[in-house]
Amino acid sequence: MELITKNIDKLPTLEELKEIYAGCREKWNHSVHPTSETGMLRIEMQTAIENPKAQSIDDYEAQEIFMIYSLMPVTYQKEGYVFSIKNQEYRYMVYDDEGNIDMNFHLLNLGNKFHYRYDPEDMTRIELWQVTETGLKYAATATPKVAIHRATQERTEEENAILFSQLDANKRTKAAQYIAAEDLFVEVCKTEGYYQLNIPLPVGISKKEMEHYREEMKAGRLKAPVPIPEKVEIPEPALIDVEALGGIVSDGDYTKQLSRITFDELERLEEF
């Protein structure tokens, strides 16, 4: 730095430096390539020769090549997928085709960890990849989380449309999950109605609206975001052959065998 300061008047300006660089580049490009047997210039060698095995790629493939995987996974939370790069925070959500939050993905993946794959030059979309036993597996594509003003007077018409669409989607989600769980609880006798109690409806949904949602589910136009597990038939318990197992193997086996002993068997045991 001392040398530069002492000779500052002898150094080129920025414009002069650009001209010097352009001259050096021109000289380099138009010099003979050292491996050319016919005296081709470097610029001719660069532009004229093609690799016969090279495969052409489209814009999407070119973008995919430069996408980067995050080093560490990030937990998906109720606020969405949030991470920071160089002290800048990014917030993403997974949306469906209608622009609402994909409730199926959202409810099934709360607390799950994902690596994110992104293009540093274009952060308008990222890919979420989940760690599995066989490696990373693509899960979903997320886009920047939609921000809506809290104050009514500050919201635009577009924000209002997004807000009310999401509120309606939330009601449909609650209703669908309620109806699906209701059917499951009836099967296993776990609902409040089994104990002669009044079953409350989800908050914000009227009885008339619930009946409408029931008709939609019957018609297949409404589905539960989280699949209800199918009913599994429990097989009849098989009697354990204690002698085949080499005697009593646990306290449970002992009490089970003891409960099945008859008086005749007890009398025979007393003979010994």
Side-chain angles (χ1 to χ4, degrees):
M1 182 57 66
E2 289 78 4
L3 179 63
I4 292 175
T5 305
K6 277 290 184 180
N7 297 276
I8 195 72
D9 58 319
K10 297 181 178 62
L11 297 178
T13 63
L14 178 60
E15 293 301 323
E16 290 172 342
L17 184 61
K18 291 179 179 179
E19 293 179 3
I20 293 171
Y21 165 73
C24 292
R25 184 179 63 188
E26 190 74 10
K27 181 179 179 181
W28 173 268
N29 286 339
H30 289 82
S31 61
V32 177
H33 197 283
T35 63
S36 174
E37 298 179 356
T38 58
M40 291 183 68
L41 304 181
R42 293 180 186 272
I43 191 68
E44 293 174 339
M45 184 77 80
Q46 175 70 21
T47 57
I49 296 180
E50 296 183 0
N51 182 356
K53 296 183 178 179
Q55 298 180 0
S56 60
I57 59 175
D58 56 25
D59 293 340
Y60 175 78
E61 292 173 324
Q63 182 185 28
E64 289 290 298
I65 291 175
F66 295 101
M67 292 186 75
I68 303 172
Y69 284 101
S70 63
L71 295 177
M72 300 297 295
V74 177
T75 302
Y76 186 90
Q77 301 176 350
K78 63 179 182 180
E79 296 83 7
Y81 194 77
V82 184
F83 60 89
S84 297
I85 299 178
K86 295 181 180 179
N87 296 325
Q88 182 175 351
E89 185 181 76
Y90 294 89
R91 291 177 174 269
Y92 291 84
M93 291 290 288
V94 178
Y95 294 96
D96 58 21
D97 296 337
E98 285 73 34
N100 298 317
I101 297 173
D102 188 333
M103 298 305 294
N104 181 271
F105 180 88
H106 185 74
L107 296 177
L108 287 174
N109 289 285
L110 288 173
N112 289 342
K113 292 181 179 293
F114 297 92
H115 285 268
Y116 57 93
R117 187 168 178 251
Y118 68 103
D119 180 356
E121 301 297 327
D122 182 12
M123 299 296 289
T124 57
R125 59 180 285 272
I126 62 171
E127 296 175 353
L128 304 184
W129 291 72
Q130 192 166 21
V131 179
T132 67
E133 294 181 354
T134 57
L136 291 178
K137 179 181 178 182
Y138 170 79
T141 296
T143 53
K145 187 175 181 180
V146 177
I148 298 177
H149 290 93
R150 289 182 176 271
T152 304
Q153 65 272 18
E154 295 180 0
R155 287 200 296 265
T156 63
E157 293 185 3
E158 182 181 2
E159 288 180 342
N160 280 327
I162 294 173
L163 175 62
F164 291 118
S165 176
Q166 186 63 60
L167 290 175
D168 181 64
N170 290 349
K171 287 180 66 174
R172 292 173 61 85
T173 297
K174 288 196 296 183
Q177 200 66 23
Y178 175 88
I179 296 169
E182 185 181 54
D183 294 340
L184 177 65
F185 290 155
V186 168
E187 288 186 4
V188 296
C189 299
K190 291 292 185 179
T191 181
E192 291 91 336
Y194 183 73
Y195 301 101
Q196 298 181 355
L197 299 173
N198 293 322
I199 305 175
L201 294 175
V203 176
I205 301 178
S206 66
K207 185 177 180 181
K208 185 176 180 180
E209 287 177 320
M210 184 59 73
E211 292 303 319
H212 174 71
Y213 291 134
R214 292 185 193 278
E215 293 299 324
E216 283 201 77
M217 286 199 73
K218 289 180 181 179
R221 297 190 300 271
L222 179 62
K223 296 182 180 179
V226 179
I228 298 297
E230 296 182 0
K231 184 178 180 181
V232 179
E233 296 293 337
I234 302 176
E236 290 292 332
L239 296 179
I240 300 175
D241 187 352
V242 177
E243 294 183 358
L245 295 175
I248 302 297
V249 296
S250 69
D251 293 341
D253 290 335
Y254 173 77
T255 56
K256 189 179 294 184
Q257 293 296 323
L258 185 63
S259 67
R260 291 202 294 262
I261 294 179
T262 64
F263 286 110
D264 293 337
E265 291 173 330
L266 285 174
E267 291 177 355
R268 285 199 298 270
L269 289 173
E270 291 176 354
E271 293 178 359
F272 293 97

